[in-house]
Structure formats: structure tokens, C-alpha cells
Amino acid sequence: FEIFLNNFYSKRISFSNRNIVLKENYPSQDTFNEPSQSYINRIKKLNENKNILEKKKYRLRTNEDGYIIGEQNLSNNSKSIDAIFYGGSTTECKYVEESKRFPYLSQKMVNDSLNTNLIFLNAGVSGKTSMQSSFDFLAKGISKKPKIVFLMHNINDLALLIKTGNYWDAPLQRRIVVDENTIEHDIQKILPNSYDFFKRVINILTNESNDEWKNFRNRNYFSDQLITANFRNSINNFIDISNNYNIKLVLMTQFNRLDFTDKLIYNNNKYSDRGIDMDRLINLYKIFNDEIRKASDDHNIDLIDLDVLVSPKRQYIYDEVHLNTAGSIFVSNFCR
């Protein structure tokens, strides 16, 4: 009956049709993520067959607000937070042991050395851009009254901007505004997991691709100047929000192996599959990190230059931009 009524009423209730997406991990979850064998095989190929990423189940827990926590959760029922780390999968650290993810480990190091109970939260989410971090910050971060926020973005912004030129024209999983009318079938509203499961089975049987970028390939006609300007504007948005609410901001450049001299990455990268020219991506990636440095200078903001500090890169970064457990431990020393 509800499905029947939706045909008559759904379009009249405007507030339920279009929504700003809060890019977050599900609140109050306790799950395990294990890299697939194909993923592990690719990582070995990028590291001369060395076992730099262990194939096992990595626990990921979140608090009631969707922030990633570690072994000891100090955040629930707390009226204020000491620090929040914003970023994408490089901050999320999905394939790092939960006690060794650098936002949590930094908290533990500080608390152990000062004998205190400071609370650091991890707002990193795979695929998240700096624009989505600004929405996250406004929607739920500011109310936590953090004393410090850390911001590290680069590759997700670049991967989107190089294909679309802006933050609003994006694949469904990365959009800022989602229209409920994009739901493919009414059954998806009632049984979303079952719908997704059977759709994946059908795609496998029919050799259909689940590629989120399939409608955005070969769209590389946006200028480097436009792409860089949009990234700069997005970073400045986050800076302005922090200033307006008197919250100390620390900027971080993003560690990476995106370099012409790293032939394992250069010759076996995943971005060429999206129709992105690797030479252009490497140059823009360096420009984006330079924009972070310039923003730090222009606005007198503290900077942790992880692009420079994380070395040797192959020891700590298992693919283009993701830390292994050893790398996360290394980075935590600069964030405490």
C-alpha cells in the first residue's frame, strides 16, 4: 500500500525527494574488512612480490556518530572532542589494524605520555572529497566543539575533478546531492541489501560492469587551471569554516608513491583504466600538495608535510596512496 501511495504522494513531499549526502561510515557498526585476493595480488605486483599488506580481517568500529574509533572508545557521552581527522581512505586506513590507525594511535600516544584522556576521532571515508569533509564538519563536527581539526585531501578530489571539473557532477556514490528518484526500483527502498546482492549476481551472470566511472570515462577536457582552482576553493571553504568557529586547523599534504621514478606504480597504476593520463595525474597531484602548502603559508596555518616526511615510501605505502600498518604507526608520530 505504501509503494502504491508513493506513486501519488512522493513528488509532493519535496523535502523527502532530494538530500545532501553525509559521507560517513555507518554509525555504531562493528565489522571486519578483508582485502580480496585480486587486491592482494595487485599490491604484490606493486611491491616486487613482497608481502607489504597482510591478507586478513581488519576490524572497523564506529561510535554513534559514525566516527571511526579504536580499541578504547572514549567518545560516547562526551560533550566535547579534542581532535577530528578529516580525509578519505588515506585517513580511514581500512586495511590497518584498528589500534594502529594513525588518528587513534596519535590519541593513545598523547594520553599515555601525558596520563590524560584526550579524544581524537577519525572522520575518514573512502572516496570522500574535501568538499564532503566541509559538509561533514558543518553537519556534525562543529557541534562536538573540537579543539583541533586535521585535514588531508588530494587524490579523491583530483580523481573527481579531472573527470568532471567540479564537485557536483559525480557518480552516484560520490554525489553531494542525491535525488530519491534515482532509486532504480521500489523494492530497493524496502530491501536495499537484498536488491544490491541480487543485482551483483545478475551483473556477474550477464558480465555487466559495476564500474561507478563508466559514464565518466574519456572526459579529460577540463583545464588544469580550472581543476586546481576548484580544489583551492574547496580547501579555502574548510579553512573559513574553521576560522568562523575559532577551531584550530592543521593542514596535511598527502603521502604517496605517485612519482615518475616509481616504475612499479607508473606502469601498473589503476587510473589509466579510468581513461586518466598518468603523467597528467602525477603533475596535478604534486600541484594539489603545493596548494596545501600555499594555503598553510597564506593563512598562517600549521602544516604537517606528510608528502615529504613519509619515507622510504615503498616501506610504508602499499599502493599509490595508502599506508600499511607500519606506515600508519610512522605517521602517528607527527600527529600527536
Side-chain angles (χ1 to χ4, degrees):
F1 183 66
E2 183 68 23
I3 295 172
F4 171 76
L5 289 180
N6 281 341
N7 294 323
F8 297 95
Y9 290 112
S10 60
K11 292 184 179 180
R12 299 183 186 180
I13 308 175
S14 59
F15 67 82
S16 67
N17 284 342
R18 286 167 57 82
N19 305 280
I20 296 175
V21 176
L22 184 59
K23 188 81 171 176
E24 64 174 359
N25 280 295
Y26 289 116
S28 302
Q29 71 167 307
D30 186 353
T31 188
F32 291 86
N33 297 290
E34 182 175 1
S36 66
Q37 188 58 53
S38 61
Y39 191 82
I40 292 293
N41 291 341
R42 179 176 185 269
I43 299 309
K44 287 183 177 180
K45 190 174 183 180
L46 296 177
N47 294 280
E48 299 176 321
N49 212 34
K50 294 178 182 177
N51 190 26
I52 193 171
L53 177 66
E54 190 176 354
K55 180 175 170 55
K56 66 177 186 179
K57 293 182 178 180
Y58 296 85
R59 192 174 190 179
L60 190 145
R61 288 184 284 181
T62 61
N63 67 7
E64 59 189 10
D65 289 311
Y67 295 108
I68 299 173
I69 56 176
E71 293 175 316
Q72 185 181 17
N73 179 21
L74 303 174
S75 63
N76 283 348
N77 303 319
S78 177
K79 293 182 179 179
S80 64
I81 300 298
D82 294 285
I84 304 176
F85 289 77
Y86 287 93
S89 58
T90 52
T91 300
E92 181 183 46
C93 296
K94 181 165 62 175
Y95 296 138
V96 171
E97 296 170 24
E98 67 168 352
S99 63
K100 301 298 190 298
R101 293 183 180 115
F102 69 86
Y104 176 78
L105 186 55
S106 301
Q107 168 196 278
K108 188 176 187 305
M109 287 179 171
V110 172
N111 287 339
D112 288 348
S113 62
L114 300 179
N115 192 26
T116 186
N117 288 309
L118 300 180
I119 303 172
F120 294 2
L121 296 177
N122 184 347
V125 181
S126 297
K128 194 173 192 175
T129 65
S130 59
M131 183 69 71
Q132 290 167 323
S133 281
S134 290
F135 282 112
D136 188 312
F137 191 24
L138 284 166
K140 65 178 186 179
I142 291 171
S143 65
K144 294 296 180 183
K145 302 177 182 178
K147 298 177 180 64
I148 303 174
V149 290
F150 295 82
L151 183 72
M152 180 175 65
H153 278 287
N154 189 323
I155 192 63
N156 289 334
D157 294 64
L158 178 53
L160 177 64
L161 292 173
I162 206 170
K163 302 301 291 181
T164 72
N166 64 77
Y167 289 95
W168 293 269
D169 183 15
L172 180 61
Q173 297 91 331
R174 298 172 186 256
R175 289 181 192 170
I176 291 175
V177 177
V178 170
D179 191 328
E180 285 188 4
N181 292 329
T182 59
I183 292 178
E184 299 172 2
H185 197 284
D186 286 325
I187 295 175
Q188 189 179 4
K189 299 178 183 178
I190 304 170
L191 303 169
N193 292 325
S194 299
Y195 185 88
D196 181 66
F197 173 80
F198 285 108
K199 183 178 179 181
R200 289 174 183 269
V201 171
I202 292 172
N203 285 342
I204 292 172
L205 294 176
T206 60
N207 291 322
E208 284 290 326
S209 173
N210 269 328
D211 178 16
E212 63 175 324
W213 295 97
K214 63 182 179 181
N215 296 322
F216 294 85
R217 295 190 178 281
N218 302 315
R219 292 176 59 180
N220 296 304
Y221 44 79
F222 303 101
S223 70
D224 292 359
Q225 292 76 15
L226 173 65
I227 291 168
T228 304
N230 278 330
F231 178 68
R232 183 188 309 123
N233 290 339
S234 182
I235 296 300
N236 285 335
N237 284 340
F238 199 98
I239 292 172
D240 288 341
I241 295 169
S242 301
N243 289 337
N244 288 341
Y245 286 89
N246 297 314
I247 298 172
K248 179 179 174 60
L249 172 62
V250 177
L251 293 173
M252 299 191 290
T253 57
Q254 196 173 78
F255 38 77
N256 66 94
R257 285 175 55 186
L258 289 168
D259 191 279
F260 295 106
T261 61
D262 193 331
K263 296 303 181 183
L264 291 171
I265 293 292
Y266 186 83
N267 295 325
N268 300 286
N269 70 89
K270 63 182 179 181
Y271 297 98
S272 297
D273 294 339
R274 299 181 188 173
I276 297 175
D277 179 78
M278 191 60 177
D279 290 357
R280 186 185 183 205
L281 182 122
I282 291 175
N283 284 324
L284 279 170
Y285 191 96
K286 294 181 183 300
I287 290 172
F288 275 27
N289 269 342
D290 284 340
E291 285 293 330
I292 295 293
R293 297 182 180 103
K294 186 175 185 303
S296 171
D297 290 337
D298 291 347
H299 298 276
N300 194 27
I301 297 171
D302 288 345
L303 173 72
I304 303 176
D305 200 344
L306 294 176
D307 177 32
V308 174
L309 292 170
V310 177
S311 181
K313 296 181 182 297
R314 286 192 188 181
Q315 179 178 336
Y316 297 131
I317 305 171
Y318 63 74
D319 62 358
E320 289 86 355
V321 294
H322 294 101
L323 297 173
N324 59 9
T325 295
S328 186
I329 295 171
F330 182 76
V331 166
S332 64
N333 290 291
F334 303 107
C335 302
R336 54 181 178 153

